[in-house]
Amino acid sequence: MTSSPARIFGLRTTLVLVFAFLYIPIAVVVALSFNQGGLPTVWSGFSLKWYASLAGNAAILSAALNTLIVALVSTAIATLLGTLLAIGVEMRRQYGSGLEALIFAPMIIPDIVLAVALLSFFSMLDFTLGLHTIILAHVVFNLAFVCSVVRARLKSFDWSIVEASADLGASAVTTFRRVTLPVILPAVVAGALLAFTLSVDEFIIAFFTAGAGRASTTLPMQIYSMIRFGITPEINALSTMVMAVSITALTLSQRLNRGVIGQ
């Protein structure tokens, strides 16, 4: 069926409006982060002074370091466990809907529910809240994302080459290192980048599982604490930097993931 010009125009207009609704506010935040004046909503000239101001803000630098530590450590743990989980599930080749539900539950459960559950769990174990509890909490939901990305690659993996490697006398470790890992490596890296992006951006779970004081404050939490007293160009600059890191990691993940799906 051939679409009429009016229908095509209507669809294109709707698409433009949807993208405008999504991205114009982001573009405004980025533009105002270069605003010379102190008013966050009135343009008064181009300047980089707010980015220079961030470099001298001890609270922001501490939060940035905490965010980097949480993101890197939780990504490393989630990537390792998520990859092993994906291989274990796909090697079975037969699994029920219950197992699928358990794997993807952290991706589906609302963040606020997962945050309260993790806080209750840490309190029950009498854990002292801090960076370590944020890392553990981020591993919980990042693991599911890594697992789903790696499993997408393993769906088309030829397990007969693993059996052939074993028949030729290779150990399980050698087979994984020389046969399995090179094939799934792009998916593992894509999953790791996705996990890193989610960890950098995450606020609700970190807010509930963080300890008191600056020692366990992440960048999203720092932005929240600053924005309660009003929006400033410094907040716009900080938000732009966090967004740039997230977009870069997400773009790399998407490129790798596209190659994985195409294989």
Side-chain angles (χ1 to χ4, degrees), residues 135-147:
I135 290 171
L136 292 175
H138 281 199
V139 169
V140 170
F141 71 85
N142 277 337
L143 191 151
F145 287 95
V146 174
C147 181

Side-chain angles (χ1 to χ4, degrees), residues 231-261:
I231 300 175
T232 65
E234 193 175 38
I235 294 177
N236 291 334
L238 180 58
S239 301
T240 300
M241 293 180 66
V242 173
M243 188 163 42
V245 172
S246 300
I247 290 175
T248 300
L250 188 59
T251 301
L252 292 173
S253 175
Q254 289 293 326
R255 286 181 177 274
L256 288 169
N257 205 25
R258 190 180 303 131
V260 168
I261 295 175

Side-chain angles (χ1 to χ4, degrees), residues 106-119:
M107 300 170 61
I108 301 171
I109 296 175
D111 286 350
I112 186 68
V113 175
L114 186 58
V116 172
L118 288 168
L119 177 59

Side-chain angles (χ1 to χ4, degrees), residues 42-90:
V42 179
W43 181 261
S44 58
F46 181 86
S47 175
L48 295 174
K49 70 176 184 178
W50 301 110
Y51 289 91
S53 175
L54 293 179
N57 191 316
I60 290 176
L61 293 178
S62 175
L65 178 61
N66 290 339
T67 299
L68 189 61
I69 292 173
V70 169
L72 290 176
V73 176
S74 64
T75 295
I77 298 174
T79 301
L80 175 62
L81 297 179
T83 300
L84 294 177
L85 177 61
I87 293 174
V89 170
E90 291 301 320

Side-chain angles (χ1 to χ4, degrees), residues 76-96 98-107 139-155 159 176 180 184 188:
I77 298 174
T79 301
L80 175 62
L81 297 179
T83 300
L84 294 177
L85 177 61
I87 293 174
V89 170
E90 291 301 320
M91 283 186 67
R92 290 186 58 186
R93 304 182 189 180
Q94 292 182 352
Y95 40 84
L99 180 59
E100 290 280 355
L102 287 175
I103 293 174
F104 292 110
M107 300 170 61
V139 169
V140 170
F141 71 85
N142 277 337
L143 191 151
F145 287 95
V146 174
C147 181
S148 64
V149 173
V150 177
R151 284 185 65 193
R153 177 65 185 96
L154 289 172
K155 291 292 185 183
W159 292 100
F176 176 78
T180 308
I184 66 172
V188 173

